Amino acid sequence: MLNEHRPVCIHKDGAFLLDDVGGLSGFADFLETVYESEDKRERDEARTWAKSLGWSEKKIAAKRIL
């Protein structure tokens, strides 16, 4: 069945997903950078890049994330 059909995300409830972030580990690194990095320049650059893709820095409750 998977040879004929691929999973597709048609709805999300929670965190905005980024296509060009480097997979799940890249997304975890990204979240760590934008929320916990002490390097203000790195944090601001990551936020600016993500916002250009439509991401919002609003924190979402863990129970609402996919």
Side-chain angles (χ1 to χ4, degrees), residues 26-57:
F27 188 59
D29 292 341
F30 164 76
L31 292 176
E32 180 180 21
T33 299
V34 298
Y35 289 122
E36 298 179 3
S37 177
E38 294 182 15
D39 183 342
K40 184 179 179 345
R41 182 176 171 203
E42 178 184 38
R43 186 177 64 236
D44 290 345
E45 287 175 357
R47 287 179 178 175
T48 299
W49 169 77
K51 285 178 184 178
S52 75
L53 299 175
W55 178 79
S56 170
E57 63 186 292

Side-chain angles (χ1 to χ4, degrees), residues 15-26:
F16 181 82
L17 304 175
L18 297 172
D19 284 338
D20 192 23
V21 77
L24 186 56
S25 63

Side-chain angles (χ1 to χ4, degrees), residues 3-5 9-15 22 25-26 30-31 33 36-37 39 44 47 50 53-54 59 64 66:
N3 293 332
E4 297 175 21
H5 303 285
C9 180
I10 58 173
H11 179 75
K12 68 176 179 67
D13 183 18
S25 63
F30 164 76
L31 292 176
T33 299
E36 298 179 3
S37 177
D39 183 342
D44 290 345
R47 287 179 178 175
L53 299 175
K59 289 188 178 181
R64 294 190 59 210
L66 291 174

